[in-house]
Amino acid sequence: MSSAILVGTFPDKMQPLFNEDANCKDFPSVHLFNEKMDTITLLERENQDNDRGIEIPKLMYHFASGDFNDFIVQHMQSSLYHNDFVLKIGKEGLYAVSDKSDEPIRKSTKEEEFSMLEELKFLDQSFDRAFDADFKLVNNGYNTHDDMDQEIELAAYRYDAGKNLYLNRAIPAKELDYKSTDYHYDGILMKFDQIKGKSEPQTTVKILPNPIFIANCDN
């Protein structure tokens, strides 16, 4: 975690999301602003790269807040998940660029290849579903449950207008745990609709000195 992400009123009141060299934090990190912003702007302070060393260009993202006042920020770029494999050609075969081992990549068996293809297919569909989702279903711990791990249909829930929550029809009302922070708990969910934003190359902004969250540990 670092101060690479900026958030705030563009372009004069942008704050680092976390302090420099933040080394621990509670999940989720929730911040209440004193006033509602008409537009939410996010900037990447540094060029990001994925695990293969491919640099991702710096962008800024603008989102009109509309009638909403409760938001989840999920930073996902397709370029972080879809890229070419890079291999080295050696005397005895192909070698992974990031692997310092002298052993070449072993050819998979048919059984292993089939298993790998099925796993890759599942991951590809999961990423596509996450990118294309019109809304997020989130439990009390702000863990999402509608994209990467499984799909949850709202038809399986009844809506409580007073609490603005979706309640699992399969769980008796007396057994619903409104305070559960269990990662996989799906008895009570909040629905967050996706706000369509626009992205463009970054321009110069004024960065305020104080971050929104401070995350420091002794160790």
Side-chain angles (χ1 to χ4, degrees):
M1 185 61 64
S2 71
S3 60
I5 301 295
L6 302 176
V7 62
T9 304
F10 178 83
D12 299 323
K13 294 182 179 180
M14 303 298 296
Q15 291 176 268
L17 192 59
F18 279 90
N19 53 294
E20 198 72 48
D21 299 322
N23 58 4
C24 72
K25 69 184 185 69
D26 293 330
F27 181 85
S29 297
V30 180
H31 181 76
L32 300 177
F33 288 96
N34 293 327
E35 58 184 30
K36 181 176 177 290
M37 292 183 288
D38 294 329
T39 303
I40 296 175
T41 300
L42 301 174
L43 288 87
E44 294 165 333
R45 196 172 184 179
E46 303 167 359
N47 283 80
Q48 304 296 306
D49 58 17
N50 58 17
D51 61 354
R52 298 188 184 282
I54 299 175
E55 189 175 85
I56 309 301
K58 289 193 296 184
L59 296 174
M60 59 184 179
Y61 309 87
H62 300 291
F63 302 89
S65 61
D67 295 328
F68 299 102
N69 62 4
D70 193 3
F71 307 93
I72 293 175
V73 177
Q74 186 174 24
H75 184 222
M76 300 180 69
Q77 285 181 260
S78 59
S79 51
L80 291 173
Y81 304 103
H82 299 88
N83 53 77
D84 297 331
F85 286 98
V86 180
L87 302 173
K88 295 185 297 185
I89 300 177
K91 293 181 178 180
E92 299 182 19
L94 298 176
Y95 300 78
V97 173
S98 58
D99 190 357
K100 297 181 180 180
S101 172
D102 294 330
E103 295 294 325
I105 296 175
R106 178 178 59 84
K107 184 177 180 180
S108 302
T109 64
K110 289 184 178 180
E111 291 77 12
E112 291 172 330
E113 191 71 26
F114 179 77
S115 176
M116 184 180 298
L117 287 174
E118 288 297 305
E119 182 178 352
L120 290 174
K121 182 179 178 181
F122 169 78
L123 290 174
D124 190 51
Q125 291 174 343
S126 297
F127 283 124
D128 289 341
R129 187 163 65 242
F131 285 122
D132 297 337
D134 293 325
F135 59 85
K136 296 288 183 185
L137 294 175
V138 181
N139 66 13
N140 189 52
Y142 283 87
N143 296 302
T144 58
H145 284 267
D146 61 335
D147 45 36
M148 300 304 294
D149 52 357
Q150 60 180 314
E151 267 189 293
I152 295 180
E153 297 291 341
L154 284 180
Y157 289 76
R158 62 180 178 85
Y159 180 64
D160 185 326
K163 295 184 175 66
N164 193 26
L165 296 173
Y166 287 86
L167 310 179
N168 194 322
R169 296 179 184 274
I171 302 176
K174 293 182 179 180
E175 297 179 13
L176 290 170
D177 187 352
Y178 287 83
K179 297 182 179 180
S180 174
T181 56
D182 186 339
Y183 185 91
H184 295 288
Y185 187 69
D186 59 2
I188 299 173
L189 298 175
M190 301 174 283
K191 180 185 176 186
F192 284 77
D193 293 311
Q194 182 187 121
I195 298 177
K196 299 293 184 181
K198 62 178 182 179
S199 61
E200 55 189 91
Q202 282 193 30
T203 59
T204 302
V205 298
K206 180 179 179 180
I207 303 175
L208 300 179
N210 297 325
I212 293 177
F213 299 110
I214 301 292
N216 282 325
C217 289
D218 294 334
N219 56 353

